[in-house]
Amino acid sequence: MTGHTGARTRRPARKVAGFLAALLPVAVAVGVYAFGRTHTPDYTSGLFGQHGAGVYDLKARLGSALMALAVVQLLLGLWMYRRLPGAGAAPHRVPPAHRLIGLLAFLLSLPISYHCVTAYGVEFTSSRVAVHSIAGCVLYGAFVAKVLVVHSRRLPGWALPAAGGALVAAIALLWYTAALWFFTGSAPGLS
């Protein structure tokens, strides 16, 4: 009988913990948004000694490297879960490589996003800028969601691909609305 009472008291605690874990990614995205909307932008700030057009070029190149890492992450994830057509089972070195590349991608994103949020904040001056701003906020919420899903054993099987897909989609939108826009002069379909 005592075991049942203990199990009953743990269930509500697990539900609360699960609820808080589900809110954490949203809280992170909303926190980035709130900071970006209330922070006074410093349009003159630089990044790694670059200013003006040099900072745009640097961020476009770093963003392109981030996009490449996201594609590699996607392919490695598909391979690990045997969803990459014709690849067969992934060797034992693939999961650690996936984690290492994910860490590198996260670290690479930090100076880019730091400059974006401090130099410009979250703006809605055009559709391109609005999509870029929202995708930037979603990026870190999606990252937190993916980390939480990876460490959870109780979530449904679709949760990890959904979190990983949201993360890759956010990076792709950021690349499309910034790096591609910079390299081509405009991203098709957004002004």
Side-chain angles (χ1 to χ4, degrees):
M1 290 267 189
T2 319
H4 293 294
T5 305
R8 285 184 192 157
T9 58
R10 282 190 297 245
R11 283 186 197 142
R14 285 183 184 164
K15 285 183 181 183
V16 169
F19 179 72
L20 292 176
L23 284 181
L24 187 58
V26 174
V28 168
V30 169
V32 173
Y33 174 84
F35 178 80
R37 290 299 289 169
T38 59
H39 171 72
T40 302
D42 178 9
Y43 300 109
T44 63
S45 70
L47 180 65
F48 299 126
Q50 298 292 319
H51 294 276
V55 111
Y56 298 133
D57 183 64
L58 176 60
K59 283 175 38 179
R61 292 178 191 284
L62 292 173
S64 294
L66 178 60
M67 183 67 221
L69 290 174
V71 169
V72 170
Q73 278 293 90
L74 177 63
L75 293 172
L76 289 175
L78 290 170
W79 194 7
M80 285 188 318
Y81 290 97
R82 296 180 180 216
R83 299 288 190 247
L84 192 61
H92 293 292
R93 67 183 181 274
V94 170
H98 181 77
R99 285 188 294 276
L100 178 62
I101 291 169
L103 175 62
L104 291 174
F106 176 74
L107 294 174
L108 181 60
S109 76
L110 292 175
I112 302 167
S113 63
Y114 174 79
H115 183 267
C116 283
V117 79
T118 58
Y120 311 110
V122 173
E123 297 181 350
F124 300 105
T125 55
S126 70
S127 58
R128 178 191 70 83
V129 171
V131 168
H132 188 79
S133 290
I134 296 301
C137 296
V138 167
L139 171 68
Y140 290 101
F143 174 78
V144 169
K146 184 171 185 278
V147 169
L148 290 173
V149 168
V150 164
H151 292 289
S152 174
R153 304 258 187 255
R154 296 176 173 247
L155 294 171
W158 56 264
L160 184 57
L167 186 55
V168 171
I171 292 169
L173 268 174
L174 288 164
W175 178 80
Y176 182 81
T177 56
L180 180 64
W181 179 83
F182 175 79
F183 290 135
T184 64
S186 69
L190 292 175
S191 55

